[in-house]
């Protein structure tokens, strides 16, 4: 009986820890979205945004909102992403590829 209670307490502690981590991640993502919105909709937004995997860890509605904001951005974007659908949805004009022969800039068709 005691071992069973100890196992249950361990599971509960693990669940509490995971819940706290998930909550911290949500808070961080909300702050990131807020900061990006402030940048994109500022009176004089920056001319260049460098984004490294910007849609990682976003739920679908948040990723779609990010795509919409970035598509309306009037400056230059440098986006690193392994998500081809995300990149296509941004309607980028050019793509920089790393090849064995070196870097290659090509228009997006």
């Amino acid at each position: 009986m005691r071992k069973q209670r100890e196992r249950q307490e361990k599971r509960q502690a693990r669940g509490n820890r995971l819940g706290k981590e998930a909550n911290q991640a949500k808070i961080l993502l909300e702050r990131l979205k807020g900061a990006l919105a402030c940048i994109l909709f500022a009176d004089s937004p920056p001319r260049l945004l460098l984004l490294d995997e910007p849609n990682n860890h976003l739920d679908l509605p948040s990723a779609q909102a990010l795509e919409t904001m970035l598509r309306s951005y009037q400056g230059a974007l440098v986006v690193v992403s392994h998500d081809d659908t995300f990149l296509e949805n941004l309607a980028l004009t050019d793509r920089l590829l790393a090849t064995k022969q070196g870097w290659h800039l090509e228009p997006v068709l």
Side-chain angles (χ1 to χ4, degrees):
M1 191 74 158
R2 183 176 179 193
K3 286 186 179 185
Q4 185 179 11
R5 188 177 57 212
E6 287 175 359
R7 282 188 294 227
Q8 184 178 7
E9 288 173 357
K10 284 182 183 180
R11 278 194 302 262
Q12 187 175 11
R14 195 174 330 129
N16 289 342
R17 191 172 51 250
L18 291 175
K20 287 178 184 177
E21 291 172 3
N23 192 40
Q24 289 172 342
K26 285 181 185 178
I27 291 169
L28 179 62
L29 288 174
E30 290 302 317
R31 287 181 183 169
L32 177 63
K33 289 190 293 186
L36 187 57
C38 289
I39 290 169
L40 293 175
F41 296 111
D43 288 336
S44 58
R47 295 182 186 171
L48 172 67
L49 288 181
L50 302 173
L51 303 169
D52 183 12
E53 301 285 354
N55 64 334
N56 271 7
H57 309 292
L58 295 181
D59 60 8
L60 185 57
S62 298
Q64 290 170 336
L66 177 63
E67 289 171 7
T68 300
M69 285 194 291
L70 292 176
R71 272 196 309 273
S72 67
Y73 179 65
Q74 298 297 309
L77 291 173
V78 176
V79 183
V80 176
S81 180
H82 292 91
D83 186 342
D84 289 330
T85 303
F86 175 75
L87 292 172
E88 289 172 14
N89 290 342
L90 293 181
L92 300 172
T93 58
D94 296 286
R95 178 179 229 148
L96 184 63
L97 300 172
T99 67
K100 290 180 182 180
Q101 293 78 28
W103 294 98
H104 179 66
L105 183 66
E106 64 181 26
V108 176
L109 303 173

